[in-house]
Structures are given as structure tokens and as C-alpha cells.
Amino acid sequence: MKTIDITTKFDTLRTAKAVGRIKLSPETVKKILNKEIPKGDVLSTAQIAGIMGAKKTAELIPFCHPIPIDHIELNTKVGEDFIEVEAEVKGIWRTGYEVEAMNAVMMALLNIFDMCKAFDKNMVIEGVKIVFKSGGKSDWGEDLSGLKAAVITVSDSAYAGKREDRSGLLAKEILEQFGAEVVGYTIVPDEKETIKEAIKKFKQMEVNLIVTTGGTGFSKRDVTPEATSEVIEKEMVGFSEAMHTLGVRFTPKALMSRAKAGFLSENSIVLNLPGSTKGVKQNLEMLLPLVKHALKMAKGEGH
């Protein structure tokens, strides 16, 4: 039993809006509007209850993450025999605010029920739902279906058969999980010309995404970034910066990576990853949803 791991997601502005209503008798509605309910101002108290509900969501729903909330707004609409509540919740974080918005609505409606139960035995809460959400991966992320991918592991020891290549095999697995067709996989030594030849070979095979693992550190044999720089036409600086930003969440040692990313052509991207399995997993899960859009941009699409 576990919550969803959101450590590799981007911090983005996320918004969720929910609505719901409570059916009441017209007589009860009149009492609310005339402020004749002994417990006090029903509508104002319901709004406060909704705000509190949004803030308390993680304490009530087991698998919801405790998340920072930057804005909550509760509004009520009064009809002849109903009161509708709308809640908007937003914040900058790595997961969405849908449950917080729905919980805000539910707490507001339950507060109305509690304050009016002595006067109306037939109240019904209904129609609580999300009507708008934005900021998550569904807004900008795409899978890799229809794309070809290849993996190059750069390692003297793996090439010599002295150790198992775990990072390259993991990269293949993750690429397939995202829907890519992995058409190539090879292990090469830490030799700049050999790395360049492997990248060019896959480019000639019309591979859309070439992932390298290893050779991004500071030793004399770490030359993957140099090899990559000599074959790309345009560097994708943001990808490299994002890998550093993500990596330091886990360890400051991530700043030691010199990994590069760039376009070999408008149809092909090469992406350097560190040689660790953690680095491969974290960076691929973060960056792969952006690859298809990057390729569209390179072709002048999506503007």
C-alpha cells in the first residue's frame, strides 16, 4: 500500500474547480436568506467550512498528498429549492487539486445540511463533480506512440562484459512503457568517435529519440557530452537544466552531470542520461512526455 510517487513531476500552476448542490424546501431557503436559522449565517459559514475542508483534505483522504494551497474561493448560488456551491482551488505543485476542490464543496454542503437539519428532513446533496482542471501532465504531456527509439550504453566495463548493463536495459523498458518502438540497443566503450558512430547509425535508421546512458561525469574517459556536441545541430538547453533541477531534489551530486540534449535533425533527438538506474528512471519519466511536442516544434508545427 502506497501513495503515488510524484517526485519526478514538474511543479506547475494547477487549478481545479468543483460544483455541487443541496436540495432544500423553498421554506428552508427563505429562512436561510432571511437569516432565521438559529445557528447563524448559513451561507457565510458554509463558505468558511469549504475553505477549511480544502485545507484538511490530506488528513481525511488517505492517499491524497499534503499539498500547498495558494488560493481557495467558495461561491454560493441560491435557487428556489436548492443552493449550489462552487469551489476553486489552485496552487503550484506536482499533483492536482481535484479532491481538494470536491472536498471544499462537500464540506460546504454538509455544513448547510447540519445548520438546517432541524427545519428540513428531506435535504439531498447531489451532483458534486469536477467541472474544470488545468496544469497537469494531461494539458501538455504526450506518450511516444508512433516514435522509434534507441538506447546507447556508454561504459568501458559493460562493453568488456565486466558488469551488467542495468541502466540501458531500464531505459529500454521505460521507453516501451511510454509507447515508443525500441528499434536499437548497443553498448559502446567510452570513446568519443565510437559514441558518435553509434549515434549517427541510429540517426540513419530514422530513430526519433536516441537515449545514451553513462559517460557524463568529470573523468578523462567521460566524453559522452563531447561526442554529442559534435553531432547535434541544435542544443536543448532546457532539458539539461531540468535534469539538474530534478536531480538535486535527490542528491547534490546530480550537479556533477554534464549531460546534453539536442536535435540531430528535425526528426531526431539525442538525450544524454547519467549511468545510474535512478538517474535514468527519474529523468526519463520527467522528460519523455515533452519529446513528441519538441519534435513537432522542430518541424514548425504547433505554433
Side-chain angles (χ1 to χ4, degrees):
M1 186 178 297
K2 59 184 179 181
T3 62
I4 299 298
D5 187 352
I6 60 172
T7 51
T8 59
K9 292 187 176 183
F10 287 107
D11 293 355
T12 55
L13 174 60
R14 298 170 186 257
T15 302
K17 186 178 292 185
V19 298
R21 62 170 55 185
I22 183 168
K23 298 281 288 184
L24 312 96
S25 68
E27 292 76 21
T28 305
V29 172
K30 289 178 182 178
K31 286 182 177 294
I32 292 171
L33 293 176
N34 294 329
K35 298 186 178 180
E36 295 173 355
I37 302 298
K39 289 185 177 181
D41 187 332
V42 174
L43 298 181
S44 295
T45 308
Q47 290 175 318
I48 294 171
I51 291 172
M52 293 176 65
K55 293 179 177 180
K56 294 286 186 179
T57 300
E59 298 177 26
L60 302 170
I61 310 297
F63 293 100
C64 274
H65 295 82
I67 58 179
I69 294 176
D70 297 323
H71 174 75
I72 308 170
E73 183 174 343
L74 267 287
N75 292 297
T76 57
K77 175 183 175 182
V78 181
E80 182 181 354
D81 62 350
F82 70 88
I83 296 174
E84 184 175 277
V85 175
E86 179 186 87
E88 181 182 72
V89 184
K90 66 172 67 174
I92 297 176
W93 197 239
R94 299 189 291 273
T95 189
Y97 289 75
E98 298 97 306
V99 180
E100 285 73 15
M102 292 181 71
N103 200 40
V105 170
M106 282 300 304
M107 291 303 104
L109 294 173
L110 284 171
N111 182 81
I112 295 171
F113 184 97
D114 174 66
M115 294 184 73
C116 300
K117 61 188 177 184
F119 305 94
D120 197 330
K121 305 301 183 184
N122 298 307
M123 291 181 289
V124 176
I125 292 174
E126 61 184 16
V128 179
K129 61 184 178 181
I130 293 293
V131 294
F132 174 79
K133 65 184 288 284
S134 67
K137 190 168 66 175
S138 59
D139 285 356
W140 50 264
E142 298 179 78
D143 64 19
L144 301 181
S145 58
L147 299 185
K148 294 180 181 180
V151 176
I152 302 170
T153 295
V154 183
S155 168
D156 288 332
S157 57
Y159 181 75
K162 295 179 180 179
R163 72 167 181 85
E164 179 187 5
D165 173 30
R166 296 174 58 202
S167 60
L169 294 176
L170 179 60
K172 284 181 59 182
E173 180 183 333
I174 295 173
L175 286 163
E176 289 170 349
Q177 289 173 357
F178 274 81
E181 179 188 0
V182 180
V183 297
Y185 164 68
T186 188
I187 303 174
V188 299
D190 290 276
E191 299 285 351
K192 186 169 71 171
E193 292 305 315
T194 306
I195 298 168
K196 288 169 60 178
E197 289 172 8
I199 293 173
K200 290 176 181 178
K201 173 187 172 182
F202 287 131
K203 178 188 176 183
Q204 291 171 357
M205 292 172 58
E206 297 184 346
V207 172
N208 305 111
L209 176 61
I210 302 167
V211 173
T212 73
T213 72
T216 63
F218 293 152
S219 80
K220 290 182 178 180
R221 298 289 292 172
D222 289 328
V223 293
T224 303
E226 283 77 12
T228 301
S229 293
E230 292 184 14
V231 293
I232 59 176
E233 296 177 355
K234 187 171 293 186
E235 188 172 358
M236 302 167 71
V237 178
F239 274 43
S240 302
E241 292 174 347
M243 286 192 281
H244 284 140
T245 301
L246 174 69
V248 295
R249 289 180 180 172
F250 302 92
T251 172
K253 292 180 180 178
L255 295 176
M256 309 296 176
S257 174
R258 299 183 301 114
K260 288 186 177 293
F263 285 94
L264 299 165
S265 70
E266 65 177 22
N267 295 308
S268 186
I269 290 171
V270 60
L271 174 62
N272 297 160
L273 297 178
S276 70
T277 54
K278 285 185 178 179
V280 167
K281 182 177 188 297
Q282 292 162 0
N283 287 302
L284 284 183
E285 288 180 349
M286 174 180 62
L287 295 176
L288 289 185
L290 292 166
V291 167
K292 189 173 281 188
H293 184 69
L295 289 168
K296 289 176 184 177
M297 289 182 65
K299 297 173 185 176
E301 302 172 11
H303 290 290

